[in-house]
Structure formats: structure tokens, C-alpha cells
């Protein structure tokens, strides 16, 4: 049964089937326990503009449905990732490839949950948090998310500035100021629709893949050592920080918000369990393909610097994003320098734009419709992250190689504040319904990942505690942070009654969040 076409903002959650329309292959949602389905995805309100479903899932299986996940994969290929990759290869050779692999697998499981949230509920993560958590908790979660976006933006802005310096010789502060211009490019592409934006990003990803894989083949890596590094867990003594930072660089908090919103750009029939399951299936395949590409690109960078920089048993100062170009020039020739810069420029531009898009979803998801025009939304949400990012980048750009590692650690600290809510929401029958909530082993695996990440954060906190200028302040902040994370894990999700919207349509009362149908 094809999806219902409508031009209304709120549409019937379930058409009353008759014997002629009923289909044995298209199961109608009639389980009273499945109360989460029904926000039709043809149009979802977002500020002054609607998130339009531009891709129809259709009736049959088709590879044309596998498109949206590659925009999400950009967040796994930002300059922070590249720096974590090159430093792990430089510090540990091929030994940390297994962490990179497992981090992408963990990211895949979490991204699947994020996509499922949007498909089944018709709301993205920020909107669901605003509905199911109290206002003070929502504000704290928003602050953590904005901190993560700002930290990611600093890496992207400085990474782009370094690429511009390598290519054109401009000072870093000039390149940093030029990165503000990408906001106008984003606004231009966004006005042409998400499909055009994704096509642009996929081009940049392909360009990164070509640049970094050419360099990997030039370095003549040891294939046997690569396979060994992927399969045998080992962390050299001097590479513990790089191992932990890699996790923070791969799984980023704002990517969960972005993916849960992007799925609403596809038409899905919410009255059919079969169609919702099909949509979840295709989004899972998309995520797997996108993160496979991301892993291969990240792996290429680790392999290159394991080959050209790492010497077993000898400790050397690790290169940063700019120093990496000099290292490649000495070992692979001058052409490798420009391949690195072009790949870095592509990573910086693409991830900056996805950060801007995620920032829009986050701000309006938490605070509702607060912008009157589309360009207001882009300019203000971009400015929230851009202004402090540029301030730090301009005045601390000379220390970015040290700062990049700390920013990856910051991402890891912010991650539980996005991960725990999505795990609780997808495990809730009231939110996801009985059919689509996380069950049994899937639930245990994802919560196990959350506790592993929190454990890494505790390790990082203890490691960096002695480096803080004020040990007492460090203890206080650490206790507050871990107490909040624990409180968030045990806090049951609720629902704000003021967020319920009731509308009358075709003889039905539609209660948008509870999704109950009363004739």
C-alpha cells in the first residue's frame, strides 16, 4: 500500500482499513501497545521551513533508497578524526587499527538506534528530549551538546585553515577567518534541498578517499601487519592517550541528533509496520555502507603514518595536521603534501557544514520555533558555534596540535549526555511502541557500550586530573559530571503534558505524542 500523500501539517495517524484496501503483505498497525507510530514523515515542521521528505521508499527494494547515510558519515571524517588517525599511526604503528574498527562498529549500532528513533516516532532526538525530560535536564543536555559542537567546530575551522596554508601559504589566522565564508555556501546548497547537499558531501568524501588511498598505496604498507592490527587487540604503553582519544574522535554527540533528523527527509508510511521495518532496514544498510567508507578512509591515514613515521621502540614528538604535510613530503614526495592538504580541506569543509546542519536541529529541537526566516536560523545557530570557535582558533592556533587531542577527549566526555537519552528512549515502549523498542540482547549490547565509554571517560579524567591548574576545582567538576551521568542513567523518562497537541480530522482525534486514536 503506497504512502498517503497529503499537504497537511498533521495527517491521520491511521486510515481505517476496509476489506478492499487490506493487504496481507502490508501489515496495518493496530496493536494498542504500539502507541508511538504516526507522525507522518511527508512533512515535519522545523522552524519556518518544513523538513520535506524528498525520497520515497516506494513499493519495491531498490538501491536508489540507499542515499541518506553518507551525509551522516561526514562527521566520522572531520579534521579531529584525521589528527587522531595520524597520531595513532605515528605512536603505535598498526596496533590501534582494531580500536578504529570497533569504534566504527559501536558507532554503527548507535547510529542505527538514532535512525530508528526518527523513523518510528517522526521526531528527532532533540525534540524527543524536550518532550520526555524536564526543562532543567533538557537545558543541561543542550549545553553539553553545544559544547561538543563548538569543540568539533574548532577542529574543523583550524583544520581548514591549515589546509589553506599548505596550499596557498596564507597565515593560519587568515585561513581561519576565511572559513566563515562556508556558511554562505551552506545556505546556498541548503536552499536547493537536502539531495543537492548530500551530493556535494558525497563528492567531498570520494575526493578524500582518492587522496588518502593514493598516499597509502604510495607508502607501500605491509598488508599482513594491517590485518594483524585489525584483529589482535593491543595497546602499546606509550599510546594509551591516542587509543582513548580515537574513540572520542569517531563517535560524536551531535551526529546522533543529525542522523535522527535526516531520516525524516524520506517518505515512510507510518500506518504500516512492514514499511517502518523496511525503512529501518534500509537505514541500517545505509549506515553500514557509509561507516565502511569512513573506516577505509580513516584506516588509510593510520596506515600511512604507521609506515612513514612510526619506529618501534623509539619515542618521537608526534606530528600534527600541519607537520603531517612535512612528514609526507620527506617520505613520499611533494605531491603527497598537496594530496594531504586537499583531503584535509575536503574534510574540514564537509564536516563544518554538517555541524551547522546539526546545530539547527539541536537549537530548534530544544527550544522550538524561534526563528522567523531560514537565513536567521542558519546565521544564528552557526554563530553559536562559530564565534567561540574562531576566537579560540585565532588566539590558540599555534598550539592546535596539543589542543586537538584535548578536544577529542572533550567529545568523549560529552557523548554520554547524548547516548544515554537515546538508549532510554529507544528502550521505552511508550516512545517506540512494543514492536520497535530495543529488546534483550540488542539492549544489553548498546548499554554495555555506554558503560564502556563512561569507563573510558573516568580513565581520562583521572589521567588529566594532575595536569589541571587547580586540583580542587578538578575534583569538584569531576564529581558533578559523573553524578549527573549516573543520575541521567537511572532517571526514568516522562512526558510533558503541555507538549500534547490535539487536532480534529476526519472524525478522529489525533493526539500527536501519545498517538491514540479515538473515534
Amino acid at each position: 500500500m503506497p504512502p498517503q500523500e497529503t499537504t497537511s501539517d498533521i495527517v491521520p495517524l491511521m486510515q481505517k482499513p476496509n476489506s478492499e484496501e487490506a493487504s496481507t503483505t502490508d501489515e496495518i498497525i493496530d496493536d494498542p501497545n504500539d502507541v508511538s507510530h504516526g507522525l507522518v514523515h511527508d512533512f515535519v515542521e522545523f522552524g519556518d521551513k518544513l523538513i520535506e521528505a524528498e525520497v520515497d521508499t516506494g513499493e519495491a527494494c531498490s538501491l536508489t533508497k540507499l542515499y541518506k547515510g553518507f551525509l551522516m558519515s561526514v562527521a566520522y571524517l572531520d579534521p579531529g578524526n584525521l589528527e587522531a588517525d595520524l597520531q595513532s599511526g605515528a605512536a603505535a604503528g598498526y596496533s590501534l587499527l582494531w580500536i578504529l574498527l570497533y569504534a566504527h562498529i559501536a558507532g554503527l549500532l548507535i547510529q542505527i538506534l538514532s535512525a530508528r528513533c526518527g523513523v518510528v516516532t517522526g521526531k528527532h532526538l532533540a525534540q524527543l528530549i524536550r518532550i520526555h525530560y524536564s526543562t532543567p535536564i533538557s537545558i543541561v543536555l543542550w549545553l553539553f551538546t553545544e559544547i561538543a559542537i563548538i569543540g568539533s567546530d574548532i577542529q574543523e575551522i583550524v583544520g581548514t585553515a591549515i589546509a589553506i596554508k599548505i596550499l596557498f601559504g596564507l597565515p593560519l589566522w587568515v585561513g581561519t577567518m576565511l572559513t566563515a565564508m562556508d556558511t554562505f555556501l551552506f545556505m546556498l546548497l541548503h536552499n536547493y534541498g537536502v539531495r543537492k547537499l548530500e551530493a556535494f558531501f558525497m563528492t567531498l568524501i570520494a575526493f578524500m578517499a582518492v587522496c588518502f588511498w593514493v598516499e597509502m598505496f604510495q607508502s607501500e604498507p605491509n598488508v599482513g601487519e594491517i590485518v594483524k592490527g585489525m584483529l589482535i587487540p593491543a595497546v602499546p604503553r606509550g599510546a594509551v592517550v591516542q587509543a582513548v582519544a580515537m574513540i572520542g574522535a569517531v563517535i560524536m554527540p551531535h551526529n546522533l541528533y543529525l542522523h535522527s533528523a535526516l531520516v525524516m527527509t524520506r517518505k515512510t508510511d507510518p500506518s504500516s509496520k512492514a514499511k517502518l521495518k523496511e525503512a529501518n532496514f534500509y537505514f541500517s544498510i545505509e549506515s553500514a555502507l557509509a561507516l565502511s567508507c569512513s573506516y577505509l578512509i580513516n584506516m588509510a591515514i593510520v596506515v600511512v603514518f604507521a609506515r612513514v613515521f612510526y619506529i618501534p621502540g623509539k619515542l618521537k614528538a608526534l606530528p600534527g595536521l600541519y607537520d603531517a604535510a612535512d612528514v609526507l613530503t620527506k617520505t613520499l614526495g611533494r605531491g603527497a603534501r598537496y594530496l594531504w592538504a586537499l583531503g584535509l580541506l575536503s574534510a574540514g569543509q564537509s564536516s563544518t557544514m554538517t555541524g551547522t546542519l546539526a546545530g539547527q536541529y539541536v537549537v530548534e529541537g530544544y527550544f522550538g520555533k524561534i526563528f522567523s526566516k531560514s537565513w536567521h536560523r542558519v546565521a544564528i545557530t552557526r554563530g553559536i558555534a562559530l564565534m567561540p570557535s574562531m576566537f579560540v582558533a585565532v588566539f590558540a592556533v599555534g598550539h592546535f596540535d596539543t589542543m586537538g587531542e584535548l578536544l577529542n577527549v572533550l567529545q568523549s566526555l560529552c557523548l554520554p549526555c547524548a547516548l544515554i537519552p537515546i538508549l532510554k528512549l529507544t528502550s521505552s515502549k511508550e516512545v517506540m511502541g512494543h514492536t520497535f523498542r530495543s529488546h534483550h540482547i540488542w539492549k544489553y549490547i548498546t548499554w554495555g557500550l555506554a558503560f564502556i565509554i563512561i569507563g573510558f571517560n573516568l580513565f581520562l579524567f583521572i589521567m588529566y586530573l594532575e595536569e589541571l591548574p587547580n586540583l580542587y576545582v578538578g575534583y569538584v567538576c569531576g564529581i558533578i559530571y559523573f553524578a549527573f551521568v549516573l543520575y541521567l542513567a537511572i532517571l526514568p523518562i516522562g512526558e510533558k503534558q503541555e507538549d500534547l497537541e490535539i487536532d480534529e480530522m476526519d472524525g478522529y482525534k489525533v493526539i500527536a505524542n501519545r498517538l491514540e486514536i479515538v473515534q
Side-chain angles (χ1 to χ4, degrees), residues 180-189 378:
M181 301 299 293
D182 58 25
T183 301
F184 298 101
L185 178 59
F186 172 84
M187 292 172 66
L188 178 64
L189 291 173
V378 175

Side-chain angles (χ1 to χ4, degrees), residues 362-413:
V362 167
V363 171
E364 290 208 344
Y366 276 108
F367 300 105
K369 184 178 179 180
I370 58 177
F371 302 114
S372 59
K373 295 182 180 180
S374 177
W375 71 270
H376 290 168
R377 178 173 63 244
V378 175
I380 295 176
T381 56
R382 178 67 172 141
I384 290 175
L386 186 62
M387 295 308 295
S389 300
M390 293 189 69
F391 179 82
V392 173
V394 169
F395 289 99
V397 71
H399 307 284
F400 180 70
D401 291 342
T402 303
M403 186 172 59
E405 183 180 280
L406 295 176
L407 291 173
N408 286 334
V409 171
L410 178 67
Q411 296 288 338
S412 183
L413 289 171

Side-chain angles (χ1 to χ4, degrees), residues 64-144:
T64 60
K65 301 177 183 181
L66 303 178
Y67 196 76
K68 297 292 175 188
F70 286 90
L71 181 54
M72 169 271 300
S73 71
V74 170
Y76 290 75
L77 293 167
D78 73 344
N81 285 102
L82 306 192
E83 184 172 39
D85 294 336
L86 72 89
Q87 291 190 347
S88 66
Y94 304 111
S95 300
L96 299 182
L97 285 174
W98 67 275
I99 290 184
L100 185 65
L101 176 62
Y102 291 164
H104 276 77
I105 293 174
L108 173 61
L109 297 178
I110 295 169
Q111 294 297 157
I112 289 174
L113 288 182
S114 177
R116 183 180 296 179
C117 232
V119 169
V120 175
T121 66
K123 291 182 178 293
H124 58 77
L125 180 57
Q127 293 171 325
L128 290 171
I129 290 176
R130 187 182 68 179
I131 292 171
H132 295 284
Y133 284 90
S134 66
T135 299
I137 296 295
S138 296
I139 291 175
V140 174
L141 294 177
W142 170 73
L143 288 174
F144 271 105

Side-chain angles (χ1 to χ4, degrees), residues 14-309:
M14 180 176 71
Q15 297 292 341
K16 197 172 183 178
N18 55 42
S19 58
E20 295 178 356
E21 294 177 338
S23 169
T24 57
T25 61
D26 201 17
E27 184 181 2
I28 301 296
I29 295 179
D30 55 4
D31 186 349
N33 291 322
D34 288 338
V35 297
S36 66
H37 322 299
L39 284 181
V40 171
H41 305 158
D42 289 349
F43 297 94
V44 180
E45 190 170 355
F46 181 62
D48 66 305
K49 185 177 179 180
L50 300 177
I51 299 177
E52 298 182 11
E54 300 179 15
V55 181
D56 196 339
T57 56
E59 288 294 312
C61 296
S62 171
L63 290 178
T64 60
K65 301 177 183 181
L66 303 178
Y67 196 76
K68 297 292 175 188
F70 286 90
L71 181 54
M72 169 271 300
S73 71
V74 170
Y76 290 75
L77 293 167
D78 73 344
N81 285 102
L82 306 192
E83 184 172 39
D85 294 336
L86 72 89
Q87 291 190 347
S88 66
Y94 304 111
S95 300
L96 299 182
L97 285 174
W98 67 275
I99 290 184
L100 185 65
L101 176 62
Y102 291 164
H104 276 77
I105 293 174
L108 173 61
L109 297 178
I110 295 169
Q111 294 297 157
I112 289 174
L113 288 182
S114 177
R116 183 180 296 179
C117 232
V119 169
V120 175
T121 66
K123 291 182 178 293
H124 58 77
L125 180 57
Q127 293 171 325
L128 290 171
I129 290 176
R130 187 182 68 179
I131 292 171
H132 295 284
Y133 284 90
S134 66
T135 299
I137 296 295
S138 296
I139 291 175
V140 174
L141 294 177
W142 170 73
L143 288 174
F144 271 105
T145 306
E146 283 298 334
I147 291 172
I149 291 175
I150 291 171
S152 177
D153 239 11
I154 293 172
Q155 294 174 310
E156 292 150 7
I157 290 171
V158 179
T160 302
I162 290 173
I164 292 173
K165 180 177 181 179
I166 296 172
L167 290 171
F168 306 108
L170 296 176
L172 289 177
W173 69 268
V174 175
T176 301
M177 301 300 291
L178 288 175
T179 57
M181 301 299 293
D182 58 25
T183 301
F184 298 101
L185 178 59
F186 172 84
M187 292 172 66
L188 178 64
L189 291 173
H190 190 259
N191 286 335
Y192 284 99
V194 177
R195 292 296 294 266
K196 302 298 187 300
L197 198 61
E198 288 175 338
F200 175 72
F201 288 143
M202 291 176 70
T203 301
L204 293 178
I205 292 172
F207 197 75
M208 279 187 275
V210 170
C211 291
F212 296 137
W213 270 70
V214 167
E215 289 187 326
M216 185 178 70
F217 283 118
Q218 285 181 337
S219 69
E220 300 179 355
N222 187 321
V223 177
E225 290 296 320
I226 293 175
V227 174
K228 180 181 177 181
M230 292 172 59
L231 299 179
I232 300 178
V235 179
R237 181 175 298 178
V240 176
V241 174
Q242 284 72 33
V244 178
M246 183 178 287
I247 297 174
V250 171
I251 308 175
M252 291 190 167
H254 64 274
N255 211 23
L256 303 182
Y257 292 89
L258 178 63
H259 201 193
S260 64
L262 287 177
V263 296
M264 291 187 287
T265 61
R266 172 173 295 171
K267 295 178 183 178
T268 303
D269 182 5
S271 65
S272 166
K273 284 183 182 179
K275 286 298 181 183
L276 290 176
K277 289 179 179 179
E278 182 191 38
N280 287 326
F281 171 74
Y282 276 109
F283 279 122
S284 299
I285 295 179
E286 275 182 352
S287 299
L289 291 175
L291 292 187
S292 295
C293 293
S294 169
Y295 176 74
L296 292 175
I297 294 173
N298 282 289
M299 181 195 72
I301 300 170
V302 175
V303 168
V304 167
F305 284 89
R307 186 73 178 89
V308 304
F309 192 87

Side-chain angles (χ1 to χ4, degrees), residues 108-110 112-113 116 426 437-447:
L108 173 61
L109 297 178
I110 295 169
I112 289 174
L113 288 182
R116 183 180 296 179
T426 53
R437 66 172 178 166
S438 298
H439 289 285
H440 306 305
I441 189 168
W442 178 265
K443 181 178 179 180
Y444 299 141
I445 289 174
T446 51
W447 272 102

